Amino acid sequence: ERIAQTMPSQYSSTAQDLMRGKPSEIDHLNGYVLRRGQALGVATPANRVLHTLVRLLEAHPAPR
């Protein structure tokens, strides 16, 4: 119950990395799913979009 109460103020590790201007783990997380899907012939469009969006945010960080 306490976790559910604090969730609105929590940020994922990827979001925290982006806020700090640090490289994220997107290649290890969603990138892995992309590579495995490609190797197995399975489409992973949601993971591809997330991976692409995070990589764009890493390349063009929002001004602070």
Side-chain angles (χ1 to χ4, degrees), residues 34-52:
L34 292 176
R35 291 187 298 276
R36 290 297 298 152
Q38 188 172 19
L40 298 170
V42 176
T44 56
N47 281 284
R48 182 169 302 284
V49 168
L50 291 171
H51 184 267
T52 300

Side-chain angles (χ1 to χ4, degrees), residues 24-44:
S24 72
E25 298 175 318
I26 199 68
D27 286 328
H28 298 288
L29 303 171
N30 294 82
Y32 174 79
V33 174
L34 292 176
R35 291 187 298 276
R36 290 297 298 152
Q38 188 172 19
L40 298 170
V42 176
T44 56

Side-chain angles (χ1 to χ4, degrees), residues 3-20:
I3 291 174
Q5 293 171 347
T6 63
M7 286 304 291
S9 63
Q10 302 298 314
Y11 293 95
S12 68
S13 62
T14 300
Q16 291 178 39
D17 289 338
L18 291 172
M19 288 187 289
R20 294 179 182 133

